Amino acid sequence: MKTLILLSCLVALGLASPFHQHGFLDFMDDITGMQNEEGSADDFTPVPKKPEPPVVVPTVTYGYPICPFACQCHIRVVQCSDLGLKEVPADIPTDTTLLDLQNNKITEIKEKDFKGLSKLYALYLVNNKISKVHPKAFLPLATIQKLYLSKNALVEIPKNLPQSLVELRIHENRIKKVPKQAFQGMKHMNCIEMGGNPLENGGFEPGAFDGLKLNYIRISEAKLSGIPKDLPNTLHELHLDHNRIQTIELEDLIRYSNCVQVRGPCHELGLGFNQIRDIENGSLSFLQNLREIHLDHNNLTRVPAGLTDMKYLQVVYLHSNNISQVGDNDFCPPGFGFKKAFYHGISLFNNPVNYWDVKPAAFRCVTDRMAIQFGNYRK
């Protein structure tokens, strides 16, 4: 009996169909069949799926909700340099305080390029191709203090410069003239860099610097034949190197005669790389508070007279001239003369003077012997 039951089971297994793997659609048919068994398909109402909101990817660069394309923005600083831009980009955040647009190909500053940037502190436009600036372009910049326009193609100083400016750098352009009203109302202006322009002495209109209380001005690498007459008398530093100045006359520095405070104006005078042959006696006596004077790379044949009267003078550059001798009283006051600050730098190298012919007493008011530089003269 047991044998018959076992044979019946084996026959039933042999007649069973083989196993088939269900695909995705097969599972769907199974699910539909299950639903029809429990109820008709018409009775099944699927739960509506809540639509997902569209994904919005904001234009964010370092925390800024808006930033000009390809620029980098971070904490009110917008950096757009070295991008080959041909114009000032749009969509500059209105709370920007520093805008860097240097090393591009911008040719023109238009009227509305800086619209809304009332909080801008510094604007860098160095090394572009700017030849034209709209007269109203800078009017929105009510609080700007630093404006750098160097290395462009400007032929004149832009009109209506912001009165809040403290520092203006406009060197290496094509400016030939500084009109009378160029800096009108700029009571806070401290520094002007305008070297590398084809400026001649006649290019400065009378009163061009009226009202300014500058501490620093550089007009180097220009075409000056003498010291400009109308520069502000508040200067701490005056740099006129790399020009065509041949002589310094008594009246050239007389407007600085009001320098009476120890820490007052006229601390540094740069006249290197000119063609100076003569400095009129008494010319330097107006610069009583001068600390440093550069007269290197000129055509001087002797140590300028008047250095002994400058009680605060500490550095004198006289190298690369034609000085053939140094007197006992060329640098230090004679006798018991008083000097408040000793020299800590005197350069006389590259001059036809033999150091062994100079008496040690000539440098009695120098801090130490290392402060004197003679070197070898080679023609």
Side-chain angles (χ1 to χ4, degrees):
M1 186 65 180
K2 293 181 179 180
T3 302
L4 291 174
I5 295 174
L6 179 61
L7 289 173
S8 300
C9 292
L10 290 175
V11 171
L13 290 173
L15 295 175
S17 59
F19 172 78
H20 292 283
Q21 175 67 46
H22 287 280
F24 176 75
L25 295 178
D26 297 330
F27 283 118
M28 290 299 296
D29 292 338
D30 292 345
I31 294 174
T32 303
M34 292 171 61
Q35 292 174 348
N36 290 335
E37 290 177 1
E38 298 176 0
S40 65
D42 296 334
D43 297 336
F44 177 74
T45 304
V47 179
K49 192 174 183 180
K50 186 177 180 180
E52 296 183 359
V55 179
V56 179
V57 181
T59 305
V60 178
T61 305
Y62 296 109
Y64 257 73
I66 299 177
C67 189
F69 178 75
C71 299
Q72 295 183 2
C73 303
H74 181 59
I75 312 179
R76 296 182 295 280
V77 174
V78 179
Q79 199 271 333
C80 302
S81 64
D82 303 277
L83 296 177
L85 301 176
K86 295 183 179 180
E87 59 183 13
V88 176
D91 299 326
I92 300 174
T94 56
D95 62 344
T96 301
T97 58
L98 189 153
L99 177 57
D100 184 1
L101 292 167
Q102 58 187 335
N103 301 325
N104 281 293
K105 299 179 181 179
I106 301 172
T107 59
E108 181 182 356
I109 302 299
K110 302 176 183 177
E111 179 179 359
K112 298 182 179 180
D113 279 348
F114 306 119
K115 183 179 179 180
L117 302 182
S118 59
K119 298 181 181 180
L120 198 65
Y121 169 81
L123 174 59
Y124 300 153
L125 289 163
V126 179
N127 197 25
N128 277 276
K129 299 180 180 180
I130 301 171
S131 60
K132 184 179 179 181
V133 178
H134 194 279
K136 297 181 180 180
F138 295 129
L139 291 182
L141 310 181
T143 60
I144 188 172
Q145 296 189 24
K146 295 185 178 184
L147 176 59
Y148 293 0
L149 285 163
S150 304
K151 296 185 178 181
N152 278 285
L154 294 171
V155 296
E156 63 179 0
I157 295 176
K159 294 180 174 60
N160 299 317
L161 289 172
Q163 296 187 1
S164 58
L165 276 182
V166 174
E167 183 177 345
L168 173 64
R169 297 186 180 271
I170 198 167
H171 62 285
E172 294 190 42
N173 278 275
R174 303 172 185 173
I175 299 171
K176 295 183 178 180
K177 182 180 179 181
V178 181
K180 183 177 180 179
Q181 305 297 330
F183 309 111
Q184 186 178 18
M186 299 183 188
K187 300 179 181 180
H188 306 288
M189 184 72 80
N190 181 68
C191 167
I192 294 181
E193 166 65 85
M194 58 172 55
N197 286 287
L199 283 165
E200 299 181 358
N201 285 73
F204 298 94
E205 290 188 359
F209 297 97
D210 283 357
L212 292 184
K213 297 181 180 180
L214 295 178
N215 287 330
Y216 175 102
I217 188 168
R218 182 185 292 273
I219 317 176
S220 60
E221 300 179 77
K223 297 182 178 180
L224 299 179
S225 57
I227 297 177
K229 298 294 192 295
D230 293 330
L231 298 179
N233 59 6
T234 57
L235 289 174
H236 283 203
E237 295 187 30
L238 172 59
H239 297 271
L240 301 172
D241 50 284
H242 291 86
N243 276 285
R244 303 173 181 177
I245 302 173
Q246 297 185 9
T247 184
I248 298 178
E249 300 177 352
L250 189 63
E251 62 179 8
D252 288 341
L253 300 172
I254 194 171
R255 70 180 287 108
Y256 304 105
S257 59
N258 65 343
C259 302
V260 295
Q261 300 178 359
V262 174
R263 290 193 171 273
C266 313
H267 285 179
E268 183 174 342
L269 176 61
L271 291 167
F273 291 90
N274 275 280
Q275 304 168 17
I276 301 173
R277 299 190 306 268
D278 182 57
I279 298 178
E280 188 176 352
N281 287 347
S283 298
L284 299 179
S285 62
F286 299 108
L287 307 179
Q288 291 295 315
N289 295 313
L290 196 68
R291 267 58 167 185
E292 187 171 325
I293 185 169
H294 295 242
L295 289 165
D296 54 286
H297 293 88
N298 279 285
N299 297 322
L300 295 172
T301 57
R302 62 187 180 93
V303 177
L307 297 183
T308 57
D309 299 327
M310 305 170 78
K311 298 180 180 180
Y312 297 99
L313 189 62
Q314 300 174 41
V315 178
V316 182
Y317 289 168
L318 289 168
H319 55 274
S320 300
N321 278 279
N322 295 318
I323 300 172
S324 58
Q325 62 179 3
V326 175
D328 294 351
N329 298 319
D330 281 349
F331 293 100
C332 303
F336 296 97
F338 179 67
K339 186 170 174 57
K340 293 187 177 181
F342 278 20
Y343 292 99
H344 58 75
I346 297 177
S347 66
L348 285 162
F349 61 89
N350 200 23
N351 278 288
V353 57
N354 298 321
Y355 67 88
W356 54 83
D357 292 333
V358 182
K359 297 180 181 180
F363 304 113
R364 57 187 178 274
C365 57
V366 180
T367 53
D368 57 73
R369 63 180 184 177
M370 298 300 295
I372 306 167
Q373 301 177 16
F374 269 103
N376 296 322
Y377 175 72
R378 296 179 180 179
K379 197 66 176 177

